[in-house]
């Protein structure tokens, strides 16, 4: 990995006089089309194994990517993010031949605390104090089910959250670790543990947006982010959940929304994508066929949109189900409705230790009158070639 990064920096420095072109991924575009359009050997794609071909299909509409070209307008390097943590890196190797690999996106993690007294509304005041609509939306999602209209002037909000930064700017979404909100002097609190929100007693909160999209036999592959495989010596990821089910099993929209894509998508085969409220998008892949649907059509939660299959790079009939928040892959189990549970035993103890540390950190900040973080600049998420 070190060698790759050093080579990367060296190439950028060598072509410092050239500009880096930043583009936006078109709706329905695929890596294969991109390679063909830019005269890059398609063998880069076909030479990948099945899992990596599927991963290479996970480039979402409006994803920002960068291309570095030489004086003759030939592509030297390409970086295409496929998640908060992983990107496709196309480059010329020492033999001046194109190569493709998956590399991690380097970022820093900041833990921050914001405390304020309501002047207007929860969303508006959090946005104006932080300069971050991402933080304001994360607060609203965390407290799904709470009516913020009842909040009064003088009520207080405290948010303890984690955010990623790249090149000094926000990257990806914000994770609320602990939050307290007064609503007419009645305090509501939540605590995050293993991507799920709980109350103080370890009872799971009903903050789900989506339902399971298919009746399945088993989960054949869970969600995982960028991880280095010690045997294969490269990064692997699985940006969704695979539900094993017989061919022809109905696939239902996990939530109310608008269909934004119907068609084929590289290793994913037949695909449907649905846009939902709150910045969420769902992806349904390896479908055998589509229901009577079309792009732009509104669909309801539970409406049949397609049927399970094994198209694309698939080893057997299953549904690959992906969930994206603000164009970034997230663990579907964090927003898909399952049986609510209460933490017990070892997990309950770990949870209690976790929230005790959260509360200690927050209380120390409040006691020391720690100032709120500086306002974020007005920009969109992006990455740079260095």
């Amino acid at each position: 990995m070190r060698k790759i990064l050093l080579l990367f920096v060296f190439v950028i420095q060598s072509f410092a006089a050239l500009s880096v072109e930043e583009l936006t991924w078109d709706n329905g575009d695929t890596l294969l089309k991109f390679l063909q359009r830019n005269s890059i050997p398609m063998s880069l794609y076909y030479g990948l194994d099945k899992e990596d071909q599927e991963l290479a299909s996970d480039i979402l509409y409006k994803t920002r990517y960068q291309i570095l070209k030489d004086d003759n307008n030939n592509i030297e390097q390409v970086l295409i993010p496929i998640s908060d943590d992983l990107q496709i890196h196309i480059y010329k190797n020492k033999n001046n031949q194109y190569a493709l690999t998956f590399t991690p996106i380097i970022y820093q993690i900041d833990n921050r605390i914001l405390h304020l007294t309501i002047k207007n509304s929860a969303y508006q005041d959090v946005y104006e104090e932080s300069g971050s609509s991402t933080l304001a939306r994360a607060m609203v999602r965390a407290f799904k089910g709470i009516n913020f209209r009842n909040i009064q002037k003088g009520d207080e909000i405290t948010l303890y959250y984690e955010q990623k930064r790249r090149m000094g700017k926000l990257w990806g979404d914000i994770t609320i670790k602990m939050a307290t909100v007064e609503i007419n002097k009645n305090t509501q609190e939540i605590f995050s543990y293993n991507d799920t929100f709980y109350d103080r007693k370890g009872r799971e909160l009903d903050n789900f947006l989506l339902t399971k999209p298919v009746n399945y036999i088993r989960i054949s592959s869970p969600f995982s982010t960028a991880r280095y495989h010690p045997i294969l010596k490269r990064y692997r990821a699985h940006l969704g959940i695979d539900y094993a089910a017989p061919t022809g099993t109905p696939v239902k929209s996990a939530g109310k929304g608008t269909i934004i894509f119907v068609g084929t998508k590289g290793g994913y085969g037949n695909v449907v994508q649905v846009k939902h409220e709150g910045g969420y998008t769902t992806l349904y892949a390896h479908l055998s066929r589509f229901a009577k649907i079309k792009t732009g059509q509104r669909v309801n939660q539970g409406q049949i949109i397609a049927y399970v299959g094994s198209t694309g790079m698939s080893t057997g009939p299953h549904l690959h189900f992906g969930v994206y928040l603000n164009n970034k892959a997230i663990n579907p189990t964090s927003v898909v409705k399952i049986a609510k549970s209460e933490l017990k035993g070892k997990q309950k103890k770990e949870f209690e230790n976790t929230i005790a540390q959260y509360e200690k950190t927050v209380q120390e900040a409040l006691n020391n009158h720690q100032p709120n973080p500086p306002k974020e600049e007005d920009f969109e998420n992006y990455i740079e070639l260095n």
Side-chain angles (χ1 to χ4, degrees):
M1 182 59 208
R2 179 177 172 80
K3 291 181 180 178
I4 292 174
L5 289 177
L6 288 176
L7 173 64
F8 204 52
V9 173
F10 173 77
V11 171
I12 295 303
Q13 291 173 342
S14 300
F15 292 91
L18 300 181
S19 61
V20 176
E21 185 177 10
E22 183 174 76
L23 302 172
T24 302
W25 200 258
D26 290 333
N27 193 19
D29 204 0
T30 67
L31 183 60
L32 269 176
K33 291 179 182 178
F34 174 85
L35 296 176
Q36 186 177 33
R37 187 167 63 246
N38 290 283
S39 300
I40 298 175
M42 290 188 287
S43 58
L44 291 185
Y45 174 82
Y46 289 117
L48 299 173
D49 62 24
K50 288 182 172 58
E51 288 80 5
D52 284 345
Q53 284 191 0
E54 181 175 276
L55 189 60
S57 300
D58 222 323
I59 307 171
L60 288 187
Y61 173 48
K62 292 187 177 180
T63 293
R64 290 178 175 269
Y65 65 100
Q66 289 77 30
I67 298 179
L68 180 70
K69 296 182 179 180
D70 63 18
D71 291 323
N72 297 318
N73 207 36
N74 296 316
I75 291 178
E76 290 290 329
Q77 293 198 68
V78 184
L79 279 182
I80 309 173
I82 53 176
S83 73
D84 277 5
D85 302 292
L86 204 62
Q87 59 196 347
I88 296 172
H89 181 199
I90 300 171
Y91 63 97
K92 286 186 177 179
N93 59 25
K94 62 182 180 181
N95 297 320
N96 204 35
Q97 301 294 316
Y98 283 112
L100 184 154
T101 188
F102 296 90
T103 62
I105 295 174
I106 306 302
Y107 55 79
Q108 296 77 43
I109 295 179
D110 290 343
N111 290 313
R112 295 188 165 191
I113 296 171
L114 182 140
H115 176 78
L116 58 81
T117 301
I118 294 296
K119 298 177 181 177
N120 299 294
S121 70
Y123 186 98
Q124 180 180 346
D125 289 349
V126 167
Y127 171 70
E128 290 182 352
E129 181 65 23
S130 66
S132 172
S133 59
T134 305
L135 178 60
R137 289 195 299 267
M139 175 194 65
V140 173
R141 288 196 305 269
F143 283 103
K144 189 176 186 298
I146 290 181
N147 188 352
F148 281 101
R149 292 191 184 93
N150 294 329
I151 206 163
Q152 304 289 321
K153 283 187 177 181
D155 284 342
E156 297 184 352
I157 291 177
T158 303
L159 303 176
Y160 179 32
Y161 59 97
E162 175 186 288
Q163 64 182 30
K164 300 170 184 174
R165 305 191 77 81
R166 179 167 171 78
M167 306 301 293
K169 305 198 185 319
L170 276 181
W171 172 253
D173 202 49
I174 283 175
T175 301
I176 300 289
K177 303 175 78 170
M178 167 186 167
T180 59
V181 174
E182 280 187 340
I183 298 184
N184 200 16
K185 301 305 177 184
N186 181 24
T187 300
Q188 306 283 339
E189 55 186 8
I190 59 168
F191 304 91
S192 178
Y193 177 72
N194 289 342
D195 293 329
T196 303
F197 289 117
Y198 296 90
D199 65 15
R200 179 174 294 276
K201 295 182 179 180
R203 295 174 299 198
E204 190 174 350
L205 300 177
D206 188 9
N207 65 330
F208 300 102
L209 168 74
L210 309 169
T211 60
K212 288 182 295 185
V214 68
N215 291 325
Y216 61 96
I217 298 173
R218 61 187 175 87
I219 292 178
S220 54
S221 184
F223 177 90
S224 65
T225 184
R227 294 176 181 172
Y228 189 73
H229 197 292
I231 298 176
L232 299 176
K233 305 296 183 183
R234 56 196 174 92
Y235 283 86
R236 304 302 299 268
H238 188 251
L239 303 179
I241 292 178
D242 285 354
Y243 295 108
T247 297
T249 302
V251 174
K252 304 173 183 178
S253 178
K256 184 178 180 181
T258 302
I259 294 175
I260 59 173
F261 180 80
V262 180
T264 58
K265 196 175 176 68
Y268 278 147
N270 292 333
V271 167
V272 174
Q273 288 176 275
V274 181
K275 183 178 181 180
H276 309 278
E277 64 177 16
Y280 289 95
T281 303
T282 51
L283 177 145
Y284 313 78
H286 302 304
L287 306 168
S288 60
R289 60 189 179 93
F290 306 113
K292 293 182 179 179
I293 57 173
K294 61 182 179 180
T295 301
Q297 177 181 333
R298 296 281 298 171
V299 290
N300 293 318
Q301 187 175 65
Q303 182 175 335
I304 295 175
I305 55 176
Y307 300 87
V308 169
S310 190
T311 56
M313 301 307 298
S314 172
T315 56
H318 71 280
L319 170 71
H320 174 91
F321 176 60
V323 178
Y324 303 81
L325 177 59
N326 299 327
N327 220 31
K328 305 293 180 181
I330 64 171
N331 191 342
T333 60
S334 65
V335 289
V336 174
K337 189 173 180 63
I338 56 176
K340 292 177 64 176
S341 63
E342 181 174 350
L343 296 173
K344 297 178 181 179
K346 182 181 179 180
Q347 278 195 322
K348 179 70 174 291
K349 185 63 177 178
E350 289 178 351
F351 170 75
E352 291 172 345
N353 292 337
T354 298
I355 68 171
Q357 185 59 51
Y358 287 172
E359 291 185 305
K360 179 182 178 182
T361 301
V362 170
Q363 197 56 53
E364 286 178 353
L366 296 179
N367 290 342
N368 294 329
H369 303 287
Q370 177 177 306
N372 285 331
K375 287 187 178 182
E376 298 291 346
E377 300 175 20
D378 186 16
F379 61 88
E380 296 187 40
N381 289 338
Y382 74 102
I383 61 177
E384 297 182 5
L385 287 172
N386 63 3

